[in-house]
Amino acid sequence: MAAEHETPVSLYFKMTSAVLLRNELKIEYGKDYEETKNRLFAILGWLGRANLGNPFVASCDLASYLKFSVSKYVIHYGPSIFINYSRFPYKADTVNEWFNLPPEDDWPERGEAVKIINVDKCGLARKCYRTQNQVENAFPDSLEDDEFEVFFHGTSHESAEDIIEGGIDLGKGARKRDFSDGDGFYLNKNFDDALRWAEHRSKSSAVLVFRLKKTELRGDDNEKGYDLREPDMKKEWQKVIKTFRNGTLNSKYRKEMNHLYQFIEGPMASISEKNSSSVSHPRQKDDSYQLCVRTQNCVELFDRGLHSVVFSEK
């Protein structure tokens, strides 16, 4: 079989597609890159083999037009045409109403299916997620009572999906935080604060809601956690903050801390990146609260206690 004839137009298509794929599609849509590449090359190849008459005329008359039109429309519209893009990880077509996580994505150890809601911009504005089990304004307030305690973790869609299907990984914790140094998982007690945290740090925000029995988390005498909330614990709080924030935590201190306590809870520190003295003399943020999971036993407790997830629109 004779080799396929290369025209200036077909060469231009191949060069243009290579640049587009490298600079646009591969970066923005990494998961679907291979499928998109194959489809795009098939279309561009077909166009390049089309009978356009005299190659010189085609290159002169069409190349300048194609240079703008093909590049413009493939960059702006190609991804939405060629890629099966989803704005939510689960049941993307079900929006502003609760549903149970599919069994194949859930953990049997959780007992009850995790409840999911995909919220678009309109649903977020009217807080449609507040209605759960057909009871208005029930979520998340109704989840907490004398027996159960509720915590929230704000993150991205991707991280939420990892936690749902793979569990919490303490090794993914950030370095030099208030109560950890590369080995903590943080939660708070306010849904709106968790949502704002996620929106500030990610294009796709999600809030995971954990519901745990108080005695399982804290023990019968509150002995499982290091509670730094009371005013008379301020000096201890400052010591812990400085130790973790300065990165001076040695293996002995870490081992003793994790042996004594499964989690640390207390006010957040008001830390300024521009002011180094804010670490040496940390101040407490007013009306703030955080709980940092420190041990694998506590991780497993929170993994089993995942109750709901709110995904907001990308």
Side-chain angles (χ1 to χ4, degrees), residues 88-104:
F88 299 112
Y90 306 100
K91 294 188 178 182
D93 294 332
T94 303
V95 180
N96 296 338
E97 61 181 77
W98 289 95
F99 60 89
N100 287 341
L101 185 69
E104 61 270 19

Side-chain angles (χ1 to χ4, degrees), residues 254-304:
R254 187 191 302 269
K255 188 175 181 179
E256 289 178 353
M257 182 72 71
N258 291 347
H259 176 71
L260 292 172
Y261 308 111
Q262 296 195 18
F263 62 89
I264 304 174
E265 62 182 332
M268 299 172 66
S270 181
I271 301 295
S272 171
E273 300 293 338
K274 298 180 181 180
N275 184 4
S276 59
S277 65
S278 63
V279 176
S280 302
H281 304 283
R283 294 185 299 105
Q284 297 180 353
K285 284 186 179 180
D286 295 336
D287 301 320
S288 65
Y289 171 84
Q290 60 185 338
L291 182 145
C292 177
V293 176
R294 298 282 311 150
T295 68
Q296 192 58 37
N297 285 340
C298 198
V299 163
E300 293 171 3
L301 182 63
F302 273 91
D303 280 335
R304 293 194 303 271

Side-chain angles (χ1 to χ4, degrees), residues 26-312:
K26 190 171 184 179
I27 294 174
E28 297 295 333
Y29 302 94
K31 291 183 179 179
D32 300 297
Y33 168 65
E34 287 299 327
E35 181 181 356
T36 304
K37 179 187 69 176
N38 294 335
R39 293 183 183 182
L40 188 57
F41 268 127
I43 292 173
L44 294 176
W46 176 82
L47 290 172
R49 290 194 299 271
N51 184 9
L52 300 174
N54 187 297
F56 178 78
V57 174
S59 63
C60 292
D61 292 344
L62 294 180
S64 60
Y65 169 76
L66 294 173
K67 180 178 180 180
F68 293 98
S69 62
V70 173
S71 300
K72 177 181 177 181
Y73 288 106
V74 170
I75 288 175
H76 289 285
Y77 301 109
S80 62
I81 295 173
F82 300 125
I83 298 176
N84 183 20
Y85 176 71
S86 176
R87 56 181 176 164
F88 299 112
Y90 306 100
K91 294 188 178 182
D93 294 332
T94 303
V95 180
N96 296 338
E97 61 181 77
W98 289 95
F99 60 89
N100 287 341
L101 185 69
E104 61 270 19
D105 296 320
D106 209 346
W107 286 19
E109 295 87 347
R110 289 189 177 125
E112 295 184 10
V114 174
K115 296 171 177 57
I116 304 286
I117 187 170
N118 300 321
V119 183
D120 62 16
K121 290 180 174 60
C122 292
L124 192 63
R126 60 185 175 87
K127 297 186 177 182
C128 66
Y129 51 83
R130 293 273 294 160
T131 299
Q132 192 178 71
N133 297 328
Q134 298 182 341
V135 180
E136 293 186 3
N137 297 321
F139 177 87
D141 304 333
S142 63
L143 300 180
E144 187 159 313
D145 53 29
D146 292 338
E147 184 180 3
F148 288 91
E149 199 165 354
V150 177
F151 298 89
F152 307 97
H153 176 79
T155 187
S156 66
H157 283 196
E158 292 76 14
S159 295
E161 194 174 0
D162 288 343
I163 293 170
I164 291 169
E165 299 182 15
I168 298 166
D169 184 356
L170 292 181
K172 292 183 178 180
R175 296 294 310 277
K176 298 182 180 181
R177 300 295 93 184
D178 287 355
F179 299 151
S180 64
D181 186 13
D183 58 352
F185 180 78
Y186 285 82
L187 307 103
N188 68 18
K189 298 284 289 180
N190 187 288
F191 178 90
D192 292 333
D193 287 347
L195 181 59
R196 281 191 291 269
W197 176 279
E199 290 175 337
H200 181 67
R201 287 163 175 77
S202 176
K203 293 180 180 179
S204 59
S205 55
V207 177
L208 293 94
V209 183
F210 299 85
R211 187 173 189 250
L212 288 76
K213 282 189 175 182
K214 293 180 180 180
T215 54
E216 290 184 358
L217 173 65
R218 302 183 177 280
D220 294 330
D221 298 316
N222 291 327
E223 74 278 4
K224 291 186 177 182
Y226 194 12
D227 189 349
L228 301 173
R229 290 176 291 179
E230 297 301 323
D232 60 357
M233 295 295 290
K234 187 173 182 179
K235 288 187 177 180
E236 288 296 319
W237 176 87
Q238 289 178 324
K239 178 183 176 181
V240 171
I241 296 292
K242 287 189 286 186
T243 300
F244 284 111
R245 282 282 182 176
N246 287 321
T248 57
L249 183 72
N250 57 46
S251 58
K252 181 180 178 181
Y253 185 87
R254 187 191 302 269
K255 188 175 181 179
E256 289 178 353
M257 182 72 71
N258 291 347
H259 176 71
L260 292 172
Y261 308 111
Q262 296 195 18
F263 62 89
I264 304 174
E265 62 182 332
M268 299 172 66
S270 181
I271 301 295
S272 171
E273 300 293 338
K274 298 180 181 180
N275 184 4
S276 59
S277 65
S278 63
V279 176
S280 302
H281 304 283
R283 294 185 299 105
Q284 297 180 353
K285 284 186 179 180
D286 295 336
D287 301 320
S288 65
Y289 171 84
Q290 60 185 338
L291 182 145
C292 177
V293 176
R294 298 282 311 150
T295 68
Q296 192 58 37
N297 285 340
C298 198
V299 163
E300 293 171 3
L301 182 63
F302 273 91
D303 280 335
R304 293 194 303 271
L306 180 60
H307 181 276
S308 308
V309 183
V310 177
F311 289 100
S312 61

